[in-house]
Amino acid sequence: MSTSPSRVAVFGAGYVGLVTGACFAELGHSVVVRDVIPERIAALQRSEVPIYEPGLEELIARNGERLHFTGDVGEAIDGADFVYIAVGTPPTYSGDADLSAVWTVIDELPAIDRRCVVVMKSTVPVGTGLKVRHRLDERGLNLVGYASNPEFTAEGTAVKDFLHPDRIVVGAFKDEDGDAVARLHAGIEAPVVRSDVASAEMIKLAANAALMTRISFINEIANVCEATGADVVRVAEGIGLDRRIGPSFLRAGIGFGGSCFPKDSLALKQLAANSGYHFQLLNAVIEVNELQKRRVIGKLHSHLGSLRNKRVALLGLAFKPHTDDMREAPSLVLAGRLLAEGADVIAWDPVVDGHDLHGVEIADAPEAAALGADAVVIVTEWPQLADVDWAAVGGTMRTRVLIDGRNMLDPAPLRAAGFTVEGIGRAADPGIA
Ligand code: UDX
Ligand code: UDX
């Protein structure tokens, strides 16, 4: 595999585009990241990273010579061997992915009279690559190749996931384009899966669907555990050690959120439906997740009765730890339900600035959020919550009810400190059984 540096243009300076650009620069390539938001580009040019992603700021700083930011399409494309598309593809009202940002990028491309490859990093419905190919041809961009190179990076560990992936997937219409994209990853140790474009697109959607299915599966097992007296944490450990099952993605909780799972499940469901297929299992996975987000409300009712004028502290707002991303965060559903039931909601998160959450009071520490509360709910398993002196916090609460939505804390010392504790799918508090 040749390791000669290439020129890479990346369209989209969001979570995926910035990580992609910074990691290609780290591999020795020369990268220009382009975005339509002028303030975002200006900030990046001042070395200010607009998102919270561990390791990204250091990577960008370290590769400053090879990594540039611009709002100008011509400057990004100038001399580029690869044009990565990493713009957002949010869901529309119909559940289909909104590809308007992708089409904008394709239509913005200037005439290119040399070989280069447009590479789709954004998650798109199966069949999108073929449509883009036709559009490139219509625009006379016949020299421009096309490949699908989906991302499997999880927020919070995206830099590590990019540089040390389980696999690299490359789907192309022409072998030479696939070869070029595979070569661009030289320096990364991982199997490269080569396929046609449609299969690469489906690999991304199917991988996410498989992970979501595991989460909804373990959440349903958790709910049955609750009804029968078993402990899902032990159950997950017990089944995860079976090599055919494996231990990952078996953490029961208050449901999945984020920028990918919720939108990609809808997009796959809709993709199947548009082709006349009713994807029953995926529909169930989505429904289980919706119900799971609301289970905490039922638990609060069982301990506090009516929630009107009850003070409930939500600890953690981001959809998972180590990110500031609030897209489809379960905290939004929880806060909304609690406010609708007349509760006073106070929240804490170490990185999310929740001041735009209408009606929610924001505290600057977990202890401050819990002060005078009727219940605390662990919404996001931020490691800081393991270091809280819960016995002291309990002394400041109106009633010591703790709902651990992520099963992160050991309930025994909490119970010893006088708390009524409920996790998800764990044996009920002996004191209240
Ligand atoms: C990505 C993907 O592209 C999506 O398909 C995948 O499933 C999840 O991650 P992400 O990086 O999380 O999206 O999105 P976001 O952080 O919203 O960044 C998208 C960026 O593209 C924004 O900075 C936006 O300004 C930019 N953009 C949008 C363009 O540069 N051009 C456009 O035409 C539209
Ligand atoms: C996911 C995929 O992991 C990644 O490969 C893809 O490229 C983008 O989507 P991300 O959404 O960043 O990444 O986070 P992930 O760690 O997968 O978690 C997604 C959600 O599932 C979170 O809300 C998390 O709390 C939840 N989750 C995860 C569980 O509830 N239980 C688990 O066992 C694992």
Side-chain angles (χ1 to χ4, degrees):
M1 228 184 236
S2 150
T3 53
S4 62
S6 297
R7 251 284 281 121
V8 183
V10 178
F11 279 69
Y15 286 83
V16 172
L18 282 178
V19 170
T20 302
C23 288
F24 278 136
E26 174 79 0
L27 292 175
H29 303 298
S30 165
V31 179
V32 179
V33 179
R34 187 262 176 174
D35 203 283
V36 287
I37 304 176
E39 303 77 42
R40 184 162 275 229
I41 291 301
L44 285 160
Q45 286 169 340
R46 293 192 303 269
S47 302
E48 289 165 22
V49 181
I51 56 167
Y52 176 81
E53 183 62 49
L56 182 61
E57 205 166 317
E58 295 86 319
L59 204 63
I60 290 178
R62 186 160 72 232
N63 291 289
E65 268 180 31
R66 283 191 297 273
L67 181 56
H68 300 282
F69 302 96
T70 183
D72 186 69
V73 177
E75 194 182 331
I77 296 293
D78 187 26
D81 305 299
F82 298 91
V83 177
Y84 265 79
I85 300 183
V87 291
T89 51
T92 57
Y93 281 114
S94 64
D96 295 279
D98 179 355
L99 296 181
S100 52
V102 169
W103 294 122
T104 303
V105 174
I106 298 298
D107 292 340
E108 279 172 342
L109 292 178
I112 300 176
D113 55 2
R114 62 197 150 74
R115 263 211 81 67
C116 73
V117 188
V118 167
V119 191
M120 189 63 74
K121 197 52 134 175
S122 296
T123 304
V124 293
V126 181
T128 302
L130 195 58
K131 289 183 189 156
V132 173
R133 179 68 269 165
H134 290 323
R135 186 89 142 232
L136 289 170
D137 291 339
E138 276 165 22
R139 293 209 44 222
L141 294 166
N142 314 72
L143 282 177
V144 176
Y146 181 88
S148 164
N149 174 214
E151 52 91 17
F152 302 100
T153 49
E155 286 175 29
T157 54
V159 170
K160 180 176 130 298
D161 293 345
F162 192 102
L163 294 172
H164 305 280
D166 290 347
R167 78 307 206 181
I168 294 161
V169 174
V170 181
F173 293 112
K174 287 189 177 162
D175 282 347
E176 58 183 294
D177 294 334
D179 293 344
V181 174
R183 271 199 306 276
L184 186 66
H185 292 79
I188 297 181
E189 291 293 320
V192 178
V193 178
R194 295 285 298 272
S195 72
D196 56 282
V197 171
S199 301
E201 292 167 341
M202 183 55 101
I203 287 170
K204 166 69 189 189
L205 295 177
N208 273 355
L211 294 169
M212 287 179 260
T213 303
R214 283 176 72 95
I215 298 172
S216 279
F217 168 78
I218 201 66
N219 281 336
E220 288 219 284
I221 292 288
N223 299 342
V224 180
C225 282
E226 269 174 27
T228 55
D231 183 337
V232 75
V233 175
R234 293 282 86 77
V235 173
E237 185 187 347
I239 63 173
L241 284 168
D242 184 326
R243 268 176 293 185
R244 295 168 300 177
I245 297 173
S248 309
F249 276 73
L250 288 179
R251 293 192 318 275
I254 52 173
F256 57 75
S259 68
C260 282
F261 285 176
K263 106 176 148 52
D264 292 348
S265 55
L266 282 182
L268 180 55
K269 170 184 155 164
Q270 208 48 49
L271 180 72
N274 293 344
S275 321
Y277 184 73
H278 179 62
F279 199 148
Q280 290 202 58
L281 182 57
L282 191 57
N283 277 297
V285 165
I286 295 167
E287 191 182 353
V288 167
N289 196 55
E290 282 312 310
L291 295 174
Q292 200 67 17
K293 291 186 216 163
R294 290 160 171 78
R295 273 185 84 80
V296 165
I297 304 293
K299 290 174 188 292
L300 289 171
H301 275 301
S302 74
H303 298 297
L304 303 177
S306 164
L307 299 180
R308 176 154 295 280
N309 299 327
K310 297 282 163 45
R311 192 169 171 83
V312 180
L314 300 181
L315 302 185
L317 287 168
F319 82 97
K320 65 174 202 178
H322 310 294
T323 178
D324 60 350
D325 202 337
M326 284 293 285
R327 286 178 281 184
E328 302 291 334
S331 63
L332 295 169
V333 174
L334 268 175
R337 281 294 333 139
L338 288 168
L339 291 171
E341 301 221 8
D344 298 328
V345 183
I346 178 154
W348 163 84
D349 190 283
V351 296
V352 174
D353 173 5
H355 288 94
D356 52 351
L357 287 179
H358 191 64
V360 177
E361 208 180 305
I362 299 297
D364 58 7
E367 294 83 355
L371 189 66
D374 294 282
V376 297
V377 181
I378 295 186
V379 181
T380 314
E381 65 276 37
W382 282 103
Q384 290 89 326
L385 294 174
D387 298 330
V388 168
D389 180 348
W390 287 105
V393 165
T396 73
M397 291 174 64
R398 194 145 57 190
T399 38
R400 297 180 195 198
V401 172
L402 187 147
I403 310 291
D404 186 351
R406 301 291 183 175
N407 291 338
M408 79 170 288
L409 299 178
D410 179 359
L414 292 169
R415 286 180 183 141
F419 276 94
T420 296
V421 185
E422 257 210 78
I424 304 288
R426 313 202 77 178
D429 193 328
I432 57 159

